[in-house]
Amino acid sequence: QMQLTESGGGSVQAGGSLRLSCEFSGYTGSSICMGWFRQASGKEREGVAGIYIGGGNTDYADAVKGRFTVSRDNARNMVYLEMNSLKPEDTAIYYCAAALGCGDRFPVLQYAYSWWGQGTQVTVSS
């Protein structure tokens, strides 16, 4: 039973930065991918960024490439999403998620994410 807890959301003006954190527990292997997803009001959930814990491979949605950076701290079971140059369209609830049995064969965000955190709100004002 995995548990994921996000933190670090908030409100920021366009052009600003935020860092989201996700602490995960309940799994000690390396065959796991951690992803960040978001869901804006009235829109479908979309993948934002992900990282393969075992190999460090990363994957990003086109909309955030060059602005967002996903990283991990394996010793602390933490994953981070550094968000820079934020835009109003980045406003959403951001979720941390885990995919077990993950590897480096496919793009990280394409794995099946079965475990989810409760989400944290990010609001970017213009």
Side-chain angles (χ1 to χ4, degrees):
Q1 183 84 6
M2 287 198 69
Q3 292 189 336
L4 293 79
T5 304
E6 304 98 335
S7 60
S11 297
V12 65
Q13 289 191 332
S17 299
L18 283 173
R19 188 176 85 152
L20 305 183
S21 300
C22 174
E23 181 177 12
F24 61 96
S25 63
Y27 184 80
T28 57
S30 61
S31 298
I32 181 173
C33 285
M34 298 298 297
W36 288 96
F37 295 77
R38 67 186 182 187
Q39 187 166 20
S41 180
K43 296 187 177 181
E44 292 187 356
R45 186 174 61 200
E46 62 177 350
V48 175
I51 187 165
Y52 169 38
I53 296 299
N57 311 49
T58 57
D59 188 18
Y60 295 92
D62 288 343
V64 307
K65 283 181 180 176
R67 300 189 298 122
F68 290 11
T69 302
V70 60
S71 61
R72 73 201 197 281
D73 183 336
N74 289 359
R76 298 183 178 184
N77 283 356
M78 295 289 295
V79 176
Y80 306 97
L81 184 66
E82 187 75 35
M83 305 185 295
N84 298 314
S85 302
L86 283 161
K87 305 175 181 180
E89 51 263 44
D90 294 318
T91 295
I93 299 174
Y94 283 71
Y95 299 91
C96 175
L100 303 185
C102 174
D104 56 5
R105 183 175 180 183
F106 300 107
V108 172
L109 290 173
Q110 291 188 12
Y111 284 88
Y113 286 80
S114 303
W115 303 96
W116 295 83
Q118 81 286 354
T120 185
Q121 177 71 46
V122 170
T123 302
V124 184
S125 58
S126 58

